[in-house]
Amino acid sequence: MIGSIGMMPLNYRTSCTSTKDTTSAQESTAQLKTVSWSEVMDGTAPTASIVVPKDAEDRAAMNAYFADYFARNPGTHEDQPDLNETMTSEEWQTLAEKYDPSSMTQKQYDALLDDLLDMGAINAEDLQILGHSAYQGMVKLTAENAFTCTVLNNEDLPVGGFVPKFEHGASRVNLWAWVQEEKSWKVYDEEQNNWVPSHKAEAFGQIYDILQGMRAYG
């Protein structure tokens, strides 16, 4: 993937293919300033700029930088906890009685994630991608979230498609629909030569399984 990099937006997640509406993204991109990689390294390039290497040497320097960075930050993640081993019937009952996944505020959702972390049902490293408000704005750059092609499996989407989320200003969110959408995203794994769930999709898939367990005790 590194050798194929020709241009990239700073602080802007790229996606090779998706079914999301790209109109607003295209409008934003049209207003961005084009800068060279040397300007980025000199610290003179504004954020949210499109980086286009000015020549072969500039491109080689950019590719070398990211090859080194991703070698040190490969994006490996912990496996999701086995809910059969971590959760007790009492904990399932507590969650079912305490939360209503069909209508949650950000505060309630944060509390749910905190409880799940305490119970060992989710990994601490996933709190940011799961949308915990205390971790908003904290993004670790990895090869997966920077340059990996991303697609959406439409067959897995909830009825009605995309749902408003807290990041869009929603005061309450149907967690069932949100989780079902997020767990539908796939990335291309070159080693497996196949499309697989992204790490974020896997994390939300864990939340989906947790909701199923709560439903069983609700």
Side-chain angles (χ1 to χ4, degrees):
M1 294 296 292
I2 297 297
S4 65
I5 298 172
M7 55 186 290
M8 71 169 192
L10 297 180
N11 298 340
Y12 186 88
R13 181 178 177 181
T14 59
S15 175
C16 292
T17 308
S18 80
T19 56
K20 287 187 175 181
D21 182 5
T22 59
T23 301
S24 59
Q26 291 172 342
E27 291 175 349
S28 297
T29 301
Q31 300 174 4
L32 300 180
K33 176 180 174 57
T34 299
V35 298
S36 67
W37 179 247
S38 58
E39 289 178 274
V40 175
M41 297 307 292
D42 290 342
T44 59
T47 59
S49 297
I50 295 293
V51 180
V52 180
K54 61 182 179 180
D55 50 34
E57 183 178 354
D58 202 43
R59 180 188 298 276
M62 182 179 75
N63 287 349
Y65 175 91
F66 282 102
D68 174 70
Y69 184 94
F70 292 140
R72 292 181 285 107
N73 298 274
T76 54
H77 308 287
E78 293 183 54
D79 292 335
Q80 296 300 326
D82 186 337
L83 298 177
N84 292 323
E85 296 180 359
T86 60
M87 300 292 290
T88 66
S89 57
E90 291 77 12
E91 287 174 327
W92 284 122
Q93 189 67 46
T94 296
L95 292 174
E97 294 175 353
K98 189 175 180 180
Y99 299 104
D100 175 13
S102 66
S103 179
M104 302 195 78
T105 64
Q106 177 73 68
K107 184 177 180 179
Q108 291 169 335
Y109 180 60
D110 288 349
L112 171 62
L113 294 181
D114 290 336
D115 283 347
L116 295 177
L117 183 62
D118 290 342
M119 294 174 182
I122 60 175
N123 297 321
E125 67 169 7
D126 292 335
L127 290 175
Q128 184 273 322
I129 59 177
L130 288 172
H132 193 298
S133 64
Y135 297 83
Q136 290 178 358
M138 301 171 63
V139 180
K140 179 181 179 180
L141 181 64
T142 65
E144 179 182 284
N145 66 28
F147 298 112
T148 304
C149 297
T150 306
V151 297
L152 179 67
N153 185 352
N154 285 304
E155 294 181 356
D156 292 341
L157 279 178
V159 177
F162 298 102
V163 297
K165 308 176 185 67
F166 298 123
E167 63 184 287
H168 302 144
S171 59
R172 287 185 173 273
V173 169
N174 182 330
L175 191 56
W176 280 103
W178 179 21
V179 168
Q180 191 172 347
E181 175 194 322
E182 294 287 5
K183 74 183 187 70
S184 302
W185 289 96
K186 296 181 181 294
V187 296
Y188 188 74
D189 188 307
E190 294 186 353
E191 292 185 1
Q192 299 184 48
N193 191 30
N194 196 14
W195 292 93
V196 299
S198 67
H199 174 58
K200 184 177 182 179
E202 290 179 343
F204 273 96
Q206 181 80 344
I207 300 297
Y208 182 81
D209 291 342
I210 290 170
L211 296 185
Q212 294 281 24
M214 292 168 59
R215 172 179 281 175
Y217 282 85

